[in-house]
Coordinates of all heavy atoms in Angstrom, one line a residue:
M17 N -8.6 -12.9 -18.7 CA -8.6 -12.1 -17.4 C -10.0 -11.7 -17.0 O -10.8 -11.2 -17.8 CB -7.7 -10.8 -17.6 CG -7.7 -10.0 -16.3 SD -6.5 -8.6 -16.4 CE -7.3 -7.4 -17.4
D18 N -10.4 -12.1 -15.8 CA -11.7 -11.7 -15.2 C -11.6 -10.3 -14.6 O -11.1 -10.2 -13.5 CB -12.1 -12.8 -14.2 CG -13.4 -12.5 -13.6 OD1 -14.1 -11.6 -14.1 OD2 -13.7 -13.1 -12.6
T19 N -12.2 -9.3 -15.4 CA -12.1 -8.0 -14.9 C -13.0 -7.7 -13.6 O -12.7 -6.8 -12.9 CB -12.5 -7.0 -15.9 OG1 -13.8 -7.3 -16.4 CG2 -11.6 -7.0 -17.1
G20 N -14.0 -8.6 -13.4 CA -14.8 -8.4 -12.3 C -14.1 -8.4 -10.9 O -14.3 -7.6 -10.0
K21 N -13.1 -9.3 -10.8 CA -12.3 -9.4 -9.6 C -11.5 -8.1 -9.4 O -11.3 -7.7 -8.2 CB -11.5 -10.7 -9.5 CG -10.5 -10.9 -10.6 CD -9.9 -12.2 -10.6 CE -9.1 -12.5 -11.9 NZ -8.7 -13.8 -12.0
F22 N -11.0 -7.6 -10.4 CA -10.2 -6.5 -10.3 C -11.0 -5.1 -10.0 O -10.5 -4.3 -9.4 CB -9.2 -6.3 -11.5 CG -8.2 -7.3 -11.6 CD1 -8.2 -8.3 -12.7 CD2 -7.2 -7.5 -10.7 CE1 -7.2 -9.3 -12.8 CE2 -6.3 -8.5 -10.7 CZ -6.3 -9.4 -11.7
D23 N -12.2 -5.2 -10.6 CA -13.2 -4.0 -10.3 C -13.5 -4.0 -8.8 O -13.6 -2.9 -8.3 CB -14.5 -4.2 -11.1 CG -14.3 -4.0 -12.6 OD1 -13.3 -3.3 -13.0 OD2 -15.1 -4.4 -13.4
E24 N -13.6 -5.1 -8.2 CA -13.9 -5.1 -6.7 C -12.7 -4.6 -6.0 O -12.8 -3.8 -5.0 CB -14.2 -6.6 -6.2 CG -15.5 -7.1 -6.7 CD -15.8 -8.5 -6.2 OE1 -15.2 -8.9 -5.0 OE2 -16.5 -9.3 -6.8
L25 N -11.5 -4.9 -6.4 CA -10.3 -4.4 -5.8 C -10.1 -2.9 -6.0 O -9.8 -2.2 -5.1 CB -9.0 -5.1 -6.4 CG -8.8 -6.5 -6.1 CD1 -7.6 -7.1 -6.8 CD2 -8.6 -6.7 -4.5
K26 N -10.5 -2.4 -7.2 CA -10.5 -1.0 -7.5 C -11.4 -0.2 -6.6 O -11.1 0.8 -6.0 CB -10.8 -0.7 -8.9 CG -9.8 -1.1 -10.0 CD -10.2 -0.8 -11.4 CE -9.2 -1.4 -12.3 NZ -9.7 -1.3 -13.7
S27 N -12.6 -0.8 -6.3 CA -13.6 -0.2 -5.4 C -13.0 -0.2 -4.0 O -13.2 0.9 -3.3 CB -14.9 -1.0 -5.5 OG -15.8 -0.5 -4.6
G28 N -12.4 -1.2 -3.6 CA -11.8 -1.3 -2.2 C -10.7 -0.3 -2.1 O -10.6 0.4 -1.0
V29 N -9.9 -0.1 -3.1 CA -8.7 0.9 -3.1 C -9.4 2.3 -3.0 O -8.9 3.1 -2.2 CB -7.9 0.7 -4.3 CG1 -7.0 1.9 -4.5 CG2 -7.1 -0.6 -4.3
Q30 N -10.4 2.5 -3.7 CA -11.1 3.8 -3.6 C -11.5 4.1 -2.2 O -11.5 5.3 -1.7 CB -12.2 4.0 -4.7 CG -12.7 5.4 -4.7 CD -11.7 6.5 -5.1 OE1 -11.0 6.3 -6.0 NE2 -11.7 7.5 -4.2
E31 N -12.1 3.1 -1.6 CA -12.6 3.3 -0.2 C -11.4 3.6 0.8 O -11.6 4.5 1.6 CB -13.3 2.0 0.3 CG -14.7 1.8 -0.2 CD -15.3 0.6 0.4 OE1 -15.4 0.5 1.6 OE2 -15.7 -0.3 -0.4
I32 N -10.3 3.0 0.5 CA -9.1 3.2 1.4 C -8.7 4.7 1.2 O -8.5 5.5 2.1 CB -7.9 2.3 1.0 CG1 -8.2 0.9 1.3 CG2 -6.7 2.8 1.7 CD1 -7.3 -0.2 0.7
I33 N -8.7 5.1 -0.1 CA -8.3 6.5 -0.4 C -9.3 7.5 0.3 O -8.9 8.5 0.8 CB -8.2 6.7 -1.9 CG1 -7.0 5.9 -2.5 CG2 -8.1 8.2 -2.3 CD1 -7.0 5.9 -4.0
D34 N -10.5 7.2 0.2 CA -11.5 8.1 0.9 C -11.4 8.1 2.4 O -11.5 9.2 2.9 CB -13.0 7.5 0.5 CG -13.3 7.7 -1.0 OD1 -12.7 8.5 -1.6 OD2 -14.3 7.0 -1.4
F35 N -11.1 7.0 3.0 CA -10.8 7.0 4.4 C -9.6 7.8 4.8 O -9.6 8.5 5.8 CB -10.6 5.5 5.0 CG -11.9 4.8 5.0 CD1 -12.0 3.4 4.5 CD2 -13.0 5.3 5.6 CE1 -13.1 2.7 4.7 CE2 -14.2 4.5 5.8 CZ -14.2 3.3 5.3
I36 N -8.5 7.7 3.9 CA -7.4 8.5 4.2 C -7.7 10.0 4.1 O -7.3 10.9 4.9 CB -6.2 8.1 3.2 CG1 -5.7 6.7 3.6 CG2 -5.1 9.1 3.3 CD1 -4.8 6.1 2.6
A37 N -8.4 10.3 3.0 CA -8.8 11.8 2.8 C -9.7 12.3 3.9 O -9.6 13.5 4.3 CB -9.6 11.9 1.5
N38 N -10.5 11.4 4.6 CA -11.3 11.8 5.7 C -10.6 11.7 7.0 O -11.1 11.8 8.1 CB -12.6 11.0 5.7 CG -13.5 11.4 4.6 OD1 -13.6 12.5 4.2 ND2 -14.2 10.4 4.0
K39 N -9.2 11.4 7.0 CA -8.4 11.2 8.2 C -8.9 10.1 9.2 O -8.8 10.3 10.3 CB -8.2 12.5 8.8 CG -7.6 13.6 8.0 CD -7.0 14.7 8.8 CE -6.4 15.8 7.9 NZ -5.4 15.4 6.9
N40 N -9.4 9.1 8.5 CA -9.9 7.9 9.4 C -8.9 6.8 9.1 O -9.1 5.8 8.3 CB -11.3 7.5 8.8 CG -11.9 6.6 9.7 OD1 -11.3 5.8 10.5 ND2 -13.2 6.4 9.7
A41 N -7.8 6.9 9.9 CA -6.6 5.8 9.8 C -7.1 4.4 10.1 O -6.7 3.5 9.4 CB -5.5 6.3 10.6
K42 N -7.9 4.3 11.1 CA -8.4 2.9 11.6 C -9.2 2.3 10.5 O -8.9 1.1 10.2 CB -9.2 3.1 12.9 CG -9.6 1.7 13.4 CD -10.4 1.8 14.7 CE -10.5 0.5 15.3 NZ -11.8 0.2 15.7
E43 N -10.2 2.9 10.0 CA -11.0 2.3 8.8 C -10.1 2.0 7.7 O -10.3 1.1 6.9 CB -12.2 3.1 8.6 CG -13.2 3.1 9.6 CD -13.8 1.7 9.9 OE1 -14.0 1.0 9.0 OE2 -14.0 1.5 11.1
A44 N -9.2 3.0 7.3 CA -8.3 2.8 6.2 C -7.5 1.6 6.3 O -7.3 0.7 5.4 CB -7.4 4.0 6.0
S45 N -6.9 1.4 7.6 CA -6.1 0.2 7.8 C -7.0 -1.1 7.7 O -6.5 -2.1 7.2 CB -5.5 0.3 9.3 OG -4.6 1.2 9.4
N46 N -8.1 -1.0 8.3 CA -9.0 -2.2 8.2 C -9.4 -2.6 6.7 O -9.3 -3.8 6.3 CB -10.4 -2.0 8.9 CG -10.1 -1.9 10.4 OD1 -9.1 -2.4 11.0 ND2 -11.1 -1.3 11.2
K47 N -9.7 -1.6 5.9 CA -10.0 -1.8 4.5 C -8.8 -2.3 3.7 O -8.9 -3.2 2.9 CB -10.6 -0.5 3.9 CG -11.2 -0.8 2.6 CD -12.4 -1.8 2.6 CE -13.0 -2.0 1.3 NZ -14.2 -2.9 1.4
L48 N -7.6 -1.8 4.1 CA -6.4 -2.2 3.4 C -6.1 -3.6 3.7 O -5.8 -4.4 2.8 CB -5.2 -1.3 3.9 CG -3.9 -1.7 3.3 CD1 -3.7 -1.2 1.9 CD2 -2.7 -1.2 4.2
A49 N -6.3 -4.1 4.9 CA -6.1 -5.5 5.3 C -7.1 -6.4 4.4 O -6.8 -7.5 3.9 CB -6.3 -5.7 6.7
E50 N -8.3 -5.9 4.4 CA -9.4 -6.7 3.5 C -9.0 -6.8 2.1 O -9.0 -7.9 1.5 CB -10.7 -6.0 3.8 CG -11.9 -6.6 3.2 CD -13.2 -5.8 3.3 OE1 -13.5 -5.4 4.5 OE2 -13.9 -5.6 2.3
V51 N -8.6 -5.7 1.6 CA -8.3 -5.7 0.1 C -7.0 -6.5 -0.1 O -6.9 -7.2 -1.1 CB -8.1 -4.2 -0.4 CG1 -7.6 -4.2 -1.8 CG2 -9.4 -3.5 -0.4
S52 N -6.1 -6.4 0.8 CA -4.8 -7.2 0.6 C -5.1 -8.6 0.7 O -4.5 -9.5 -0.1 CB -3.8 -6.8 1.7 OG -3.3 -5.5 1.7
E53 N -6.1 -9.1 1.5 CA -6.4 -10.4 1.7 C -7.1 -10.9 0.3 O -6.9 -12.0 -0.1 CB -7.4 -10.6 2.8 CG -7.5 -12.0 3.4 CD -8.4 -12.0 4.7 OE1 -7.8 -11.5 5.7 OE2 -9.5 -12.5 4.6
E54 N -8.0 -10.1 -0.3 CA -8.6 -10.4 -1.5 C -7.6 -10.6 -2.6 O -7.6 -11.5 -3.5 CB -9.6 -9.3 -1.9 CG -10.8 -9.2 -1.0 CD -11.7 -8.0 -1.3 OE1 -11.6 -7.5 -2.5 OE2 -12.5 -7.6 -0.5
L55 N -6.6 -9.6 -2.6 CA -5.5 -9.7 -3.6 C -4.7 -11.0 -3.5 O -4.4 -11.6 -4.5 CB -4.7 -8.4 -3.5 CG -3.6 -8.3 -4.6 CD1 -4.3 -8.1 -6.0 CD2 -2.7 -7.1 -4.3
D56 N -4.4 -11.4 -2.2 CA -3.7 -12.6 -2.0 C -4.4 -13.8 -2.5 O -3.9 -14.8 -3.1 CB -3.4 -12.8 -0.5 CG -2.3 -11.8 -0.1 OD1 -1.6 -11.2 -0.9 OD2 -2.1 -11.6 1.1
E57 N -5.8 -13.8 -2.3 CA -6.7 -14.9 -2.7 C -6.6 -15.0 -4.3 O -6.5 -16.1 -4.8 CB -8.1 -14.6 -2.3 CG -9.0 -15.7 -2.5 CD -8.7 -17.0 -1.7 OE1 -8.1 -16.9 -0.6 OE2 -9.1 -18.0 -2.3
I58 N -6.7 -13.9 -4.9 CA -6.6 -13.9 -6.4 C -5.2 -14.4 -6.9 O -5.1 -15.3 -7.8 CB -6.8 -12.5 -7.0 CG1 -8.3 -12.0 -6.7 CG2 -6.6 -12.4 -8.5 CD1 -8.6 -10.6 -7.0
L59 N -4.2 -14.0 -6.2 CA -2.8 -14.4 -6.6 C -2.6 -15.9 -6.4 O -2.0 -16.5 -7.3 CB -1.8 -13.6 -5.7 CG -0.3 -14.0 -5.9 CD1 0.1 -13.6 -7.3 CD2 0.5 -13.2 -5.0
D60 N -3.2 -16.4 -5.4 CA -3.2 -17.9 -5.1 C -3.8 -18.7 -6.2 O -3.5 -19.9 -6.4 CB -3.8 -18.2 -3.8 CG -3.0 -17.8 -2.6 OD1 -1.8 -17.4 -2.8 OD2 -3.6 -17.8 -1.5
H61 N -4.8 -18.1 -7.0 CA -5.6 -18.9 -7.9 C -5.3 -18.5 -9.4 O -6.2 -18.7 -10.2 CB -7.0 -18.8 -7.5 CG -7.4 -19.4 -6.3 ND1 -7.5 -18.7 -5.1 CD2 -7.5 -20.8 -6.0 CE1 -7.7 -19.6 -4.1 NE2 -7.8 -20.8 -4.6
T62 N -4.2 -17.7 -9.7 CA -4.1 -17.4 -11.0 C -2.6 -17.7 -11.5 O -1.7 -17.7 -10.7 CB -4.3 -15.9 -11.2 OG1 -4.3 -15.6 -12.6 CG2 -3.2 -15.0 -10.6
D63 N -2.5 -18.0 -12.8 CA -1.2 -18.1 -13.3 C -1.0 -17.4 -14.7 O 0.0 -17.6 -15.4 CB -0.7 -19.6 -13.5 CG -1.8 -20.4 -14.2 OD1 -2.8 -19.8 -14.7 OD2 -1.7 -21.6 -14.4
E64 N -2.0 -16.7 -15.0 CA -2.0 -15.9 -16.3 C -1.1 -14.7 -16.2 O -1.2 -13.9 -15.2 CB -3.4 -15.5 -16.7 CG -4.4 -16.6 -17.0 CD -5.7 -16.2 -17.4 OE1 -5.8 -15.1 -18.0 OE2 -6.7 -16.9 -17.1
D65 N -0.3 -14.5 -17.1 CA 0.6 -13.3 -17.1 C 0.0 -12.0 -16.9 O 0.4 -11.1 -16.2 CB 1.6 -13.3 -18.3 CG 2.7 -14.4 -18.3 OD1 2.9 -15.0 -17.2 OD2 3.2 -14.7 -19.3
E66 N -1.1 -11.8 -17.7 CA -1.8 -10.6 -17.6 C -2.4 -10.3 -16.2 O -2.3 -9.1 -15.7 CB -3.0 -10.6 -18.6 CG -3.7 -9.3 -18.8 CD -4.7 -9.4 -19.9 OE1 -4.8 -10.3 -20.7 OE2 -5.5 -8.3 -20.0
D67 N -2.9 -11.4 -15.6 CA -3.5 -11.2 -14.2 C -2.3 -10.9 -13.3 O -2.5 -10.0 -12.3 CB -4.2 -12.4 -13.8 CG -5.5 -12.6 -14.4 OD1 -6.1 -11.7 -15.0 OD2 -6.1 -13.6 -14.3
L68 N -1.2 -11.6 -13.4 CA 0.0 -11.3 -12.5 C 0.5 -9.8 -12.7 O 0.8 -9.2 -11.7 CB 1.1 -12.3 -12.9 CG 0.7 -13.8 -12.5 CD1 1.9 -14.7 -13.0 CD2 0.5 -14.0 -11.0
R69 N 0.5 -9.3 -13.8 CA 0.9 -7.9 -14.1 C -0.1 -7.0 -13.3 O 0.3 -6.0 -12.6 CB 1.0 -7.5 -15.5 CG 2.2 -8.0 -16.2 CD 2.4 -7.4 -17.6 NE 1.4 -7.9 -18.5 CZ 1.5 -9.0 -19.2 NH1 2.5 -9.7 -19.1 NH2 0.6 -9.3 -20.0
E70 N -1.4 -7.2 -13.4 CA -2.4 -6.4 -12.8 C -2.3 -6.5 -11.3 O -2.4 -5.5 -10.5 CB -3.8 -6.9 -13.2 CG -4.9 -5.9 -12.9 CD -4.8 -4.6 -13.7 OE1 -4.2 -4.5 -14.7 OE2 -5.5 -3.6 -13.2
I71 N -2.0 -7.7 -10.8 CA -1.8 -8.0 -9.3 C -0.6 -7.2 -8.8 O -0.7 -6.6 -7.8 CB -1.7 -9.5 -9.0 CG1 -3.0 -10.2 -9.3 CG2 -1.1 -9.7 -7.6 CD1 -2.9 -11.7 -9.3
S72 N 0.4 -7.1 -9.6 CA 1.7 -6.5 -9.3 C 1.4 -5.0 -9.1 O 1.8 -4.3 -8.1 CB 2.7 -6.7 -10.3 OG 3.8 -5.9 -10.0
K73 N 0.5 -4.4 -10.0 CA 0.2 -3.0 -9.9 C -0.6 -2.7 -8.5 O -0.3 -1.7 -7.9 CB -0.6 -2.5 -11.1 CG 0.1 -2.6 -12.3 CD -0.9 -2.3 -13.5 CE -0.2 -2.5 -14.9 NZ -1.2 -2.4 -15.9
F74 N -1.5 -3.6 -8.2 CA -2.2 -3.4 -7.0 C -1.3 -3.6 -5.7 O -1.5 -2.9 -4.8 CB -3.4 -4.4 -6.9 CG -4.6 -3.9 -7.7 CD1 -5.0 -4.5 -8.8 CD2 -5.5 -3.1 -7.0 CE1 -6.1 -4.1 -9.5 CE2 -6.6 -2.6 -7.7 CZ -6.9 -3.2 -9.0
Q75 N -0.4 -4.4 -5.8 CA 0.5 -4.6 -4.7 C 1.3 -3.3 -4.5 O 1.5 -2.9 -3.3 CB 1.5 -5.8 -5.0 CG 0.8 -7.2 -4.8 CD 1.7 -8.3 -5.2 OE1 2.5 -8.2 -6.2 NE2 1.5 -9.4 -4.6
V76 N 1.8 -2.7 -5.5 CA 2.5 -1.4 -5.4 C 1.7 -0.4 -4.8 O 2.0 0.3 -3.9 CB 3.2 -1.1 -6.8 CG1 3.7 0.4 -6.7 CG2 4.2 -2.0 -7.2
L77 N 0.5 -0.2 -5.4 CA -0.5 0.7 -4.9 C -0.8 0.5 -3.4 O -0.9 1.5 -2.6 CB -1.8 0.7 -5.7 CG -2.9 1.7 -5.4 CD1 -2.4 3.1 -5.4 CD2 -4.1 1.5 -6.3
L78 N -1.1 -0.7 -3.0 CA -1.4 -1.0 -1.6 C -0.3 -0.7 -0.7 O -0.4 -0.2 0.4 CB -1.8 -2.5 -1.4 CG -3.2 -2.8 -2.1 CD1 -3.6 -4.3 -1.9 CD2 -4.4 -1.9 -1.5
N79 N 1.0 -0.9 -1.1 CA 2.1 -0.5 -0.3 C 2.2 1.0 -0.2 O 2.6 1.5 1.0 CB 3.5 -1.1 -1.0 CG 3.6 -2.5 -0.8 OD1 3.0 -3.2 0.1 ND2 4.4 -3.2 -1.6
Q80 N 2.0 1.7 -1.2 CA 2.0 3.2 -1.1 C 0.9 3.7 -0.2 O 1.1 4.6 0.6 CB 1.8 3.8 -2.5 CG 3.0 3.6 -3.4 CD 2.8 4.1 -4.8 OE1 1.7 4.2 -5.2 NE2 3.9 4.3 -5.5
L81 N -0.3 3.1 -0.3 CA -1.4 3.4 0.6 C -1.0 3.1 2.1 O -1.4 3.9 3.0 CB -2.7 2.8 0.2 CG -3.3 3.3 -1.1 CD1 -4.5 2.5 -1.5 CD2 -3.7 4.7 -1.0
Q82 N -0.4 2.0 2.3 CA 0.0 1.6 3.7 C 1.0 2.7 4.2 O 0.8 3.1 5.4 CB 0.8 0.3 3.7 CG 1.4 -0.1 4.9 CD 0.3 -0.3 6.1 OE1 -0.7 -0.9 5.8 NE2 0.7 0.0 7.3
Q83 N 1.9 3.2 3.4 CA 2.7 4.3 3.9 C 2.0 5.5 4.2 O 2.3 6.2 5.2 CB 3.8 4.6 2.8 CG 4.8 3.4 2.6 CD 5.7 3.7 1.4 OE1 5.8 4.7 0.8 NE2 6.5 2.7 1.1
K84 N 0.9 5.8 3.4 CA 0.2 7.1 3.7 C -0.6 6.9 5.0 O -0.7 7.8 5.8 CB -0.9 7.3 2.6 CG -0.2 7.6 1.3 CD 0.1 9.1 1.2 CE 0.6 9.5 -0.2 NZ 1.2 10.8 -0.2
I85 N -1.1 5.7 5.2 CA -1.8 5.4 6.5 C -0.9 5.6 7.7 O -1.3 6.1 8.7 CB -2.5 4.0 6.5 CG1 -3.6 4.0 5.4 CG2 -2.9 3.6 7.8 CD1 -4.1 2.6 5.1
V86 N 0.4 5.1 7.6 CA 1.3 5.2 8.7 C 1.6 6.6 8.9 O 1.6 7.1 10.1 CB 2.7 4.5 8.3 CG1 3.8 4.8 9.3 CG2 2.4 2.9 8.3
L87 N 1.7 7.5 7.9 CA 2.0 8.9 8.1 C 0.8 9.6 8.7 O 0.9 10.5 9.6 CB 2.3 9.6 6.7 CG 3.6 9.2 6.1 CD1 3.8 9.8 4.7 CD2 4.8 9.8 7.0
L88 N -0.4 9.2 8.3 CA -1.6 9.7 8.8 C -1.8 9.4 10.3 O -2.1 10.3 11.1 CB -2.9 9.2 8.1 CG -4.2 9.7 8.6 CD1 -4.4 11.2 8.5 CD2 -5.3 8.9 7.8
K89 N -1.5 8.2 10.7 CA -1.5 7.8 12.1 C -0.5 8.6 12.9 O -0.8 9.1 14.1 CB -1.2 6.3 12.3 CG -2.3 5.4 11.8 CD -1.9 4.0 12.1 CE -3.0 3.0 11.7 NZ -2.6 1.6 11.8
A90 N 0.7 8.9 12.3 CA 1.7 9.7 13.1 C 1.2 11.1 13.2 O 1.4 11.7 14.3 CB 3.0 9.7 12.2
Q91 N 0.5 11.7 12.3 CA 0.0 13.0 12.3 C -1.1 13.1 13.4 O -1.3 14.2 14.0 CB -0.6 13.5 11.0 CG 0.4 13.7 9.9 CD -0.2 14.0 8.5 OE1 -1.3 13.9 8.4 NE2 0.7 14.3 7.6
L92 N -1.9 12.1 13.5 CA -3.0 12.1 14.4 C -2.7 12.0 15.8 O -3.5 12.2 16.8 CB -4.1 11.1 13.9 CG -4.8 11.3 12.6 CD1 -5.7 10.1 12.2 CD2 -5.5 12.6 12.5
N93 N -1.5 11.4 16.1 CA -1.0 11.2 17.4 C -0.3 12.3 18.0 O 0.1 13.3 17.6 CB -0.2 9.9 17.6 CG -1.0 8.7 17.4 OD1 -2.2 8.7 17.6 ND2 -0.4 7.7 16.9

């Protein structure tokens, strides 16, 4: 497992969380799309079980963050 690719994803997830905390839904959405794209790219090029488990964790986390962004957008409108 190449931890470097997952470290980049972790950094991106932290940025999303920071944007949400700062009530910046637009930037959070943009970063979420970017991180999701990176995750899809990793998924397309891996078949190792350990990597697939890690990817699954990120997918769940990104889905939860998407829900938080939707709620934030509703609050801001």
Side-chain angles (χ1 to χ4, degrees):
M17 179 170 78
D18 179 12
T19 58
K21 59 188 171 191
F22 292 115
D23 288 342
E24 288 180 32
L25 289 174
K26 287 177 187 175
S27 175
V29 166
Q30 185 59 54
E31 284 184 57
I32 296 166
I33 293 168
D34 292 343
F35 285 132
I36 292 170
N38 291 322
K39 301 198 181 305
N40 190 338
K42 183 176 189 228
E43 289 300 321
S45 290
N46 292 342
K47 190 64 181 182
L48 180 76
E50 182 181 315
V51 173
S52 295
E53 205 171 287
E54 291 174 23
L55 188 62
D56 288 345
E57 186 69 25
I58 294 170
L59 181 59
D60 288 345
H61 295 97
T62 193
D63 57 0
E64 295 180 32
D65 287 344
E66 189 175 347
D67 285 350
L68 293 172
R69 279 191 292 275
E70 194 71 16
I71 289 167
S72 175
K73 292 175 190 176
F74 275 102
Q75 288 173 324
V76 169
L77 179 56
L78 291 177
N79 284 336
Q80 291 173 339
L81 290 172
Q82 174 64 38
Q83 292 173 6
K84 294 282 187 192
I85 293 168
V86 168
L87 289 173
L88 177 60
K89 286 179 178 178
Q91 290 175 353
L92 296 175
N93 288 335

